[in-house]
Amino acid sequence: VQLQASGGGLVQAGGSLRLSCAASGPIYSNWHMGWFRQAPGKEREFVAALTWREGRTYYTDSVKGRVTISRDNAKNTVFLQMNSLKPEDTAVYYCVVRQNPSRTPLATSSGFYDLWGQGTQVTVSS
């Protein structure tokens, strides 16, 4: 399975973007999907994740209330709707898949995720 992220771009502070990540193959019901981001000179950071079966979600504190992760099971696609964007949201955003999570909680550490997309740039101007 390969992941193809899209939807990034340049937006003014306060604006919105919707990122998409399409998987080239089936997403199995026990998998987790999510998003990380990496800003220049900073470490990769967890943004949000969901369980594919139930759609249970988890967000990092800095995006709660502004960002929504969702999925389209039929299209094997996960979305990241980002509203009220801030300059500090500027980063390359990566979609990720965790295979065989074995009923563990949604992970925030990058090491738990097995598949990574190529990244899409989000730039928020002030």
Side-chain angles (χ1 to χ4, degrees):
V1 173
Q2 295 184 328
L3 306 174
Q4 181 69 42
S6 61
L10 174 63
V11 64
Q12 289 188 332
S16 298
L17 280 175
R18 188 192 196 206
L19 306 185
S20 299
C21 176
S24 62
I27 301 297
Y28 293 96
S29 60
N30 65 323
W31 288 8
H32 298 172
M33 288 193 75
W35 294 88
F36 280 74
R37 65 186 180 186
Q38 188 165 21
K42 294 188 177 182
E43 293 186 354
R44 197 166 290 182
E45 175 190 28
F46 171 82
V47 178
L50 56 72
T51 61
W52 196 252
R53 181 184 288 121
E54 305 93 356
R56 179 166 45 89
T57 59
Y58 186 78
Y59 300 90
T60 192
D61 286 345
S62 63
V63 305
K64 283 180 181 177
R66 302 188 297 120
V67 168
T68 302
I69 187 171
S70 61
R71 74 205 191 288
D72 184 329
N73 297 63
K75 295 182 179 180
N76 293 324
T77 299
V78 66
F79 304 99
L80 192 71
Q81 176 67 45
M82 302 189 294
N83 301 323
S84 302
L85 283 163
K86 305 175 181 180
E88 50 263 44
D89 293 318
T90 295
V92 177
Y93 284 71
Y94 299 91
C95 63
V96 296
V97 165
R98 184 182 181 187
Q99 301 168 304
N100 301 316
S102 300
R103 300 187 179 185
T104 56
L106 291 165
T108 61
S109 175
S110 61
F112 285 100
Y113 291 88
D114 308 287
L115 304 178
W116 290 73
Q118 87 286 3
T120 185
Q121 176 71 47
V122 171
T123 303
V124 184
S125 63
S126 57

